[in-house]
Amino acid sequence: QVQLVESGGGSVQAGGSLRLSCIASGYAARFYHMAWFRQAPGQEREGVAALDTDGRTSYAGSVKGRFTISQDKPKNTLYLQMNNLRPEDTAMYYCAAAPWQLTPIEALPLRSPPPHWGQGTQVTVSS
């Protein structure tokens, strides 16, 4: 049974930083492709950043240059470093895992969604 548990969300002012973590259990991290998604109230869920097992990364245009996805494989932990946060980054953030490639992120809406999801962590950015 794959389990993903996110943490690190919170409330910050615009321009601030947060680092989200996602601890995975039930499998070896090196076998799964990982991604961060977010969903704001009344909006569609969108892919934010993806990291494939070969190290390839992909970012949504709205976060490129501000967010960094990374992974500590021995710890089975996925991270999302978020810098220069903006009010429009406010959303529930979810990590997800899939046995198939998740990059490029623009192609995610055309593929089956990842089968494994965390419960989410809230990020609120005030102006």
Side-chain angles (χ1 to χ4, degrees), residues 10-94:
S11 297
V12 296
Q13 291 190 327
S17 298
L18 284 172
R19 188 177 78 158
L20 306 184
S21 300
C22 172
I23 299 176
S25 61
Y27 69 94
R30 64 183 180 273
F31 297 128
Y32 274 72
H33 308 269
M34 305 291 292
W36 287 97
F37 290 77
R38 68 185 181 187
Q39 187 167 21
Q43 296 188 20
E44 295 286 324
R45 183 177 64 195
E46 64 170 338
V48 174
L51 173 62
D52 284 332
T53 56
D54 61 1
R56 190 175 313 182
T57 60
S58 180
Y59 296 90
S62 60
V63 307
K64 197 171 294 184
R66 300 188 297 123
F67 290 12
T68 303
I69 188 171
S70 62
Q71 188 175 41
D72 185 333
K73 289 187 177 181
K75 294 184 178 179
N76 271 8
T77 302
L78 181 74
Y79 300 102
L80 184 67
Q81 178 66 44
M82 306 185 295
N83 298 327
N84 193 19
L85 283 161
R86 304 168 180 170
E88 53 264 39
D89 295 319
T90 296
M92 186 71 79
Y93 284 71
Y94 301 90

